[in-house]
Amino acid sequence: SFHSGQVTGVDTCIRKPLVATCGLDKSVRIWNYVDKTLELSKYFNEEAHSIAFHPSGLHLLVGFSDKMRLMNVVMDDIRPFKEFAVKACRECRFSNGGHMFAAVNGNTINIFATYTCENLGNLRGHNGKVRSV
């Protein structure tokens, strides 16, 4: 039930006892840290590089090599909801309220509205790659 390759992203949910991980084994996993159990696991066609848990625990943001996906966490599955053209997304994060999220592509930070999926702006100006949001 563990990742078979390197873990590339980890995030916790603030309202539920859950941790989301993604790795080079092309899987996204949701763990319950109270029960110490694997709640959900889903495999994709490409490696995931970054992950963010929505504060509600109902949505995941996963950055892949070719795109970034907003996904819904349902009872027994993780279902893709919307894809964004953010390539090589190595960092992503939801806002504290969960109404917005940021995704990093190289030295640009893209800001999106969570519920409308509208691009609210792009933050440019870093000389090097953005390593944390």
Side-chain angles (χ1 to χ4, degrees):
S1 69
F2 297 111
H3 286 281
S4 60
Q6 179 182 349
V7 174
T8 55
V10 178
D11 197 22
T12 57
C13 177
I14 61 169
R15 294 194 185 133
K16 295 179 181 177
L18 301 174
V19 175
T21 60
C22 64
L24 296 182
D25 61 355
K26 302 179 181 179
S27 73
V28 170
R29 297 168 192 258
I30 298 177
W31 308 85
N32 184 317
Y33 60 79
V34 171
D35 299 340
K36 297 180 179 147
T37 57
L38 178 65
E39 296 273 322
L40 277 172
S41 178
K42 176 125 183 186
Y43 284 86
F44 295 92
N45 293 329
E46 58 270 359
E47 298 167 347
H49 298 292
S50 60
I51 195 163
F53 227 139
H54 189 269
S56 69
L58 301 175
H59 312 288
L60 278 177
L61 199 56
V62 184
F64 295 95
S65 304
D66 58 339
K67 65 182 82 76
M68 185 184 61
R69 289 187 180 129
L70 179 62
M71 303 190 195
N72 293 327
V73 179
V74 293
M75 288 295 287
D76 57 351
D77 197 13
I78 301 168
R79 295 189 182 149
F81 173 71
K82 178 84 172 157
E83 293 183 348
F84 300 88
V86 179
K87 297 190 183 306
C89 180
R90 304 271 178 193
E91 281 290 325
C92 57
R93 182 81 55 221
F94 279 101
S95 64
N96 287 339
H99 61 292
M100 294 185 290
F101 62 85
V104 173
N105 177 4
N107 61 355
T108 303
I109 303 169
N110 303 292
I111 309 293
F112 294 93
T114 301
Y115 303 111
T116 63
C117 299
E118 176 189 358
N119 185 340
L120 301 175
N122 300 317
L123 308 176
R124 294 182 183 91
H126 289 278
N127 292 330
K129 285 185 178 181
V130 177
R131 303 211 184 275
S132 183
V133 181

